[in-house]
Amino acid sequence: VGGRVTADVRPVSAEDLAALGSRWPAHDVWDGHAARAAAGEATFLAAWLDDDPVGVALVQWEGCVGAAARTAHPDAVEINHLHVRDGHRGARIGTGLIDHAERLASARGVARTVLAVEDDNQAARGLYLRLGYRPTGVFDECAYSYLDDHGVERRASERSESLIKALLPLRTIAI
């Protein structure tokens, strides 16, 4: 795709969840995100080009997921599980998802957001730095399992640094 694209970024509805699952299968990942959103713990966002889901992100309202990040940034919310589909990277989809997440956080009075970035993901790090996030030197390690495209359970681990950004408060202008 490349270039600038205007995607519709919105919280995932029940109808969106069905479309997301059929057009971008991810085994039980989308259902897990939707369950966290239904419980009020998160907002599950998706970016759409027409009826095609091209990106997702999760805003974790209960704070940072990693223990070190949670301790270092107790007042921040974390934007995580940010993923843009192959063929749509570089088209500002990730930027749109992050911008939408930051606006939601500002509307709730949140002063800071955190994004965790894996040591070896220089493309994501570059994007986050361009969007105003700053390194903190706070690292977390996470081990998890997931189902691959063939339904086989795999185990993985990653080491991520928390990047932080101070949000501008939303202001209401009286006229």
Side-chain angles (χ1 to χ4, degrees):
V1 172
R4 283 184 192 262
V5 174
T6 302
D8 176 27
V9 176
R10 63 181 183 261
V12 173
S13 68
E15 295 80 23
D16 290 337
L17 186 61
L20 185 62
S22 69
R23 293 186 183 101
W24 189 6
H27 301 284
D28 60 347
V29 174
W30 306 146
D31 291 335
H33 291 350
R36 288 187 53 73
E41 300 168 1
T43 297
F44 182 22
L45 298 173
W48 300 83
L49 293 177
D50 298 319
D51 62 350
D52 190 27
V54 294
V56 293
L58 199 64
V59 184
Q60 302 278 3
W61 296 117
E62 295 183 342
C64 296
V65 174
R70 193 172 35 257
T71 298
H73 316 296
D75 62 333
V77 299
E78 184 173 332
I79 302 166
N80 63 9
H81 293 279
L82 179 68
H83 187 73
V84 175
R85 290 176 75 181
D86 291 340
H88 297 280
R89 295 188 182 124
R92 300 183 49 84
I93 303 298
T95 299
L97 285 160
I98 292 168
D99 181 64
H100 195 95
E102 290 173 353
R103 289 174 190 238
L104 290 175
S106 285
R108 287 191 180 201
V110 173
R112 302 184 313 159
T113 53
V114 166
L115 288 161
V117 63
E118 290 180 60
D119 288 340
D120 62 351
N121 193 343
Q122 293 307 310
R125 179 179 287 277
L127 169 64
Y128 303 158
L129 294 175
R130 283 191 301 281
L131 294 177
Y133 284 82
R134 296 293 166 243
T136 63
V138 176
F139 291 88
D140 276 292
E141 293 194 32
C142 174
Y144 57 95
S145 27
Y146 65 97
L147 297 177
D148 69 13
D149 292 338
H150 304 288
V152 176
E153 185 174 356
R154 304 287 182 184
R155 297 193 189 287
S157 64
E158 58 188 50
R159 181 176 184 260
S160 300
E161 180 181 11
S162 298
L163 306 181
I164 196 160
K165 180 177 181 180
L167 301 177
L168 297 174
L170 291 180
R171 294 195 172 109
T172 304
I173 299 173
I175 47 175

